[in-house]
Amino acid sequence: MDDSDEEGGGMTKNEKEQSWIPKVFKKRLCTTFVEDASSKGQQCQCGRPRKDHQSVALGDYFSTAMVSHWDSAQHSSESATDAFGEVEFDGASKRHSYYLRLSTDTQPNIAYNLITHHWGLSLPNLVVSVVGGEGNSKVKTWVREVLRQGLVKASQSTGAWILTEGLREGVGRCVGEAVRDHATAASSVSHSQVVAIGIPSWGLVHNRQQLINPEGSFPAKYHADNTFSDSSCLDKNYQAFLLVDDGSVGRRGGESGFRARLEDYISHQRTGIWGSGSINIPVLCLLVSGEVNLMERLDLSLRTGMPWLVLVGSGGVANLVGDLLENPVVSVSGGESKSEAGAGGDLRERVAERVRRHFPSEADMDKLTDRALSIYQNRDLISIYNHEQEGPDDFDTVLLKALVKASKRCSLADSSPYTEELKLAVTWNRVDIARSELFNGDIQWKCDDLEDSMTDALVNDKPEFVRLFTENGLNILNYLTNGRLESLYRSTSASSLIYTLLQRHLAMRQAVVGSANSATDLPAPSPKELEMLRPAKELSLYEVSRVLEDLLGDVCQAFYYAPLSLEKGTSKRRAFKKVCKYLQGPCVYRNKRCLYPWASLFIWAMLQNRKEMAIYFWEMAGESVLSALSGCKLLRELSKLEVETETKNSMKENAQMFENLAYGVFSKCYESSECRSFTLLIRKSPVWGETTCLQMAMAADARVFFSHDGVQSLLTQIWWGDMERSTEVWKLILTFFVPPLCYTSFISFRESEEPGEENTEAGQAASRAKDHHSLYGETVFSYSDIKHLSPDGEEEDAEAEVHIRTPTKGPLHPNKRPFIISRWRQFWYAPVTSFLGNVLMYFTFLFLYAYVLLVDFKPPPPRGPAIAEYVLYFWVFTIVCEEIRETFIIGSMTLRQRLRLYGQDVWNRCDLIAIALFLIGLCCRMFKKTYELGRGTLCIDFMVFTIRLIHIFAIHKQLGPKIIIVGKMMKDIFFFLFFLGVWLMAYGIANQALLYSYDPRPDRIFRRVFYRPYLHIFGQIPVEEMDTGKHWDMPCTDNVTLIEDGEEPCRDTYANWLVVILLVVYLLVTNILLINLLIAMFSYTFSKVQERSDIYWKFQRYNLIVEYHSKPSLAPPFIFLSHLHLLVKRNIRKMPSMKIHHFAQELEGKAANRLMTWEGIQKENFLSDESKKQRASDSERLKRMSVKVDGMLKQMVEMRDVDHRLRALESQMEFCSSAMEWLMESLAQGNVVKPSRPPPTLNETPSSSGSS
């Protein structure tokens, strides 16, 4: 709490925020002097002396004489409080505590709102009010241990408030010290801090005058006397103090009424974020010892249904209550045999007897007996803790059972008796208690009983409970409806990024709905119509769909369109209009089941960056590889929008973790089956909007995943088509120029299965065995195997993409082509052939372009252009046609999506620049006035076309990483140029001004200010211009007229020494400092990329393979033949294109289910291996060792208890033996009994005594 932030008027920020407090909260002052008989008229019964009372309080002598007992409500009045703000204790840390003096009649809701909203204390999941043990009474050692190891530790794990008197005496001091110790030990790792709040009586606080300031203290300096002894000073270990003022001074109990009302009010508030919990905040009163006057407080509290936990053995009232409950005052048989009156009278006598036993000196025994009887009748709300039977570590379990015992009494008769206990365990996040006490197999849970607790666990981020509920009967299909999913999104924190994104889209829809309703001149809607309009103003799945579309982009189709009755592929504007109209209706979709519950919960958890929750949902959802990559994509997009550095870094780390999960699961899949893993990569997912693993990995920038051998093996096999991977490149180039070589064995092709094999018995047996061991069949990566897949049996495109399919029953090749045609297609339609053809033709294009510019660039018409230049124009025209085909024809996306996707590629933008420059140069060179401009533009355009070669060589394993390094270094150059530009401009302007007093020519100024200092860096320093102290033979003039006409001005020799110094400093900074900085930046970039060069290259390789996989086999300028062929097939023959889906395959029915089952098995194997590695780690071993040590310590404690019992038994045995000896001696001395044999000795055995 920083108090140094002063604002206008001299008021601090906290002072302005709490300036309203005196208007709401009051204090009490005694207004009637009621004489205390023992003070001889000098002191009032309120505790103040006569002189401290106002004249009004002393004026009415007659009414004062008639009053014998001072009452706060009648004899005191309220006025504005004069003590509030923050208090700073002597010797404490910089943390301040809040405090407020308030009247005993203050409404508890106002005080609660002050604590939670204005003071900012966290909302409680539990409130424990410690009652008793006040004053200077000595606290027993075991009570201290219970408060330290039991109460505070249990409260810390639940996020609780502890209410005490807050004074540095008795139990309050023990609680404060325990809270301090636990906060010091666990402040960095604890998610739930204990909030200790002191509620003492104002008149009892020592040095309270230090807190008084009518304008508030920020902070008040509080000095406590007798630091090492108990006193009524405030304890510095409490976070807040409510100083209850009833008008008295030095009297205890003045705060009890307000404290009871506050506890009752809190018990009716809901737990969780924004009150989203499934239960009210549990409040428990803990009774420690206690004087007789606490019996009234206990009785009244029990009548309101407040549960109590009594520490038996702590003394006082606690011992009396423990005696009444542990030793029943009436037996069952006695109760049955006696009449009701007799039983009641006997019960009262027994209770009175016990009251006299514990409080023998009390005078009004009848009143105490009535209180004790009333307490006994409400014994269902009382639980006891016996330190002899239970240790401090069991206190949390006792605490939970005490609250459950009370909640069962108040719960409905038809509700499950364990539901309240479960809700409390969820609220406290004590999954250990829930697993050991509630889910141990003894209770048969219904799905309906777990739904509320499941929602509470989801909203408040308790993944262990979600896992526990799912494992014990909760059906996620029945639980997660569309409406419940929407409620989960509505419960997101207002400070989270996803809340902001959702509200942004919701505001847009609400604005449209509101404007539509206001535009129509209709009467005011009825309540029923308002209820129908309410869903239109709430968050819906449409807003979630829009957010996911913004984050995932065009990689997948829109989510949640089916529940909203929207068709796939609907435009955003049309979908928005339909949704606005649909949500104003009954919204029946909210009662329907969510189609993919685990995936929906996974997305919900990822959008909130809940790591543990998302991991569990990922484990439960199908399509593990794609789900992990989708989570990686979501988190990386969210990290770009997040502004908080810590959250941003967390999102990036979690994104990398999910990419590693995808990598690990796919590794298991690839080890199990290469063919199935390939199909897994290119299968369209109905869950994730018809996308594939490869597409999502590319969108998520999952470079590590792309570096996997399985992914690269798939890409390599697609790259080579039906040819063997080991084919040398020179053979391909030679076959490219001599096509008949493809029919020889010069190039090796993979042999596909012959169709006749299936007709043989052996072939059929092999096919059945293969189908038995495979989940869906063999994956084929050959163009020749991708024929006749369409229902009508039509042929695919010549340039069709390599689709990976499952062979169906029947002949594999129903219409087998002749060998000449099939081998021709196998060679020319392979992507590698297309790539080599484009490379060779592109080099030819550059040679032609260079020849035109250097040799055959004719003047404008009619003398030019030359024939070679016309060929160049046609070549560029075919390149433009191919760019149009790639952008507007390939794919099934909308025009807007196509343009966005096209513009995202850097090389596509390079192509646009090259084509635009070529068109500009072409237009300019046709006219005499702009001929030179056109020629210069075409020269620059040649440079752009040449740079385009870099992209072609990205496929090379050695050059590809180097190209990436060059691209990274270009970014470093821009930072370097910024620093260089600053120094260059500073030096150039100063140098020009010092050397030349007057030179108005802009061209010379530009050269001397920018160009010449730039050349200085490379050593070109004209000494005759810099060192003007020596006479150089250079023509110059000082005539202003001649200078303005263009003559060279003479240099100024006055500041020549300063020019030389500036030159030295400039060269020192640029040549030594900045150049070495650039070298260091380049070295860092090189080493950083070189370490992961293989990963970078493999990732970049995918785009190039996809690009050339979709290109026709003919390269420009012959590509126009392929374009004509496509035009005929699409528009005349109406043959559909199979190239709209890159590397995509649809699986349905059993094939899809088998693939998902196989993937799930591999995921389980991966998680099992990871679990084994984790268990074998040193940290897990230490954890297991610590658990064993804790168990041994508990056993040692139990052995210690057994040892104590054995010692007690030995002492009793010694007493019994002594008594027997005394009895034997007495009998031996008398003559009553005459023994038949002498007494046995110690060494005599029973057998010997029997034989004698």
Side-chain angles (χ1 to χ4, degrees), residues 467 602 614-622 624 1163-1164 1167:
R467 184 187 298 269
F602 174 73
I615 289 177
Y616 174 66
F617 292 146
W618 172 79
E619 293 176 1
M620 300 301 295
S624 306
K1163 176 189 65 178
E1164 293 174 0
L1167 294 176

Side-chain angles (χ1 to χ4, degrees), residues 53-67:
H53 284 71
Q54 298 179 0
S55 59
V56 178
L58 303 173
D60 193 357
Y61 295 103
F62 178 76
S63 60
T64 302
M66 297 293 294
V67 177

Side-chain angles (χ1 to χ4, degrees), residues 95-146:
R95 181 185 62 82
H96 301 159
S97 301
Y98 300 99
Y99 76 97
L100 169 66
R101 177 185 182 183
L102 70 166
S103 171
T104 186
D105 296 330
T106 303
Q107 295 298 322
N109 60 322
I110 303 176
Y112 182 75
N113 290 332
L114 173 72
I115 296 173
T116 56
H117 292 85
H118 297 279
W119 287 354
L121 301 185
S122 57
L123 295 174
N125 292 324
L126 166 70
V127 175
V128 179
S129 180
V130 182
V131 181
E134 297 93 352
N136 296 326
S137 58
K138 184 174 179 59
V139 181
K140 296 182 179 180
T141 304
W142 69 267
V143 175
R144 290 178 179 270
E145 292 300 319
V146 168

Side-chain angles (χ1 to χ4, degrees), residues 474-539:
L474 181 71
N475 189 347
I476 196 66
L477 293 175
N478 296 330
Y479 168 77
L480 192 65
T481 60
N482 292 321
R484 186 162 277 159
L485 181 61
E486 288 179 346
S487 65
L488 290 177
Y489 278 102
R490 295 190 197 106
S491 66
T492 54
S493 174
S495 60
S496 62
L497 175 62
I498 182 60
Y499 178 85
T500 305
L501 298 177
L502 290 172
Q503 291 300 317
R504 184 183 303 166
H505 288 287
L506 178 61
M508 295 172 58
R509 182 167 62 84
Q510 287 179 345
V512 173
V513 174
S515 61
N517 293 334
S518 61
T520 57
D521 298 331
L522 297 175
S526 61
K528 185 176 181 180
E529 293 174 343
L530 285 174
E531 182 64 23
M532 291 182 62
L533 289 175
R534 183 180 60 84
K537 297 184 179 298
E538 291 182 350
L539 187 68

Side-chain angles (χ1 to χ4, degrees), residues 153 202 408 482 497 548 559 807 1130 1163:
K153 188 176 180 180
W202 165 260
K408 288 179 182 178
N482 292 321
L497 175 62
L548 291 177
F559 286 79
R1130 298 292 175 266
K1163 176 189 65 178

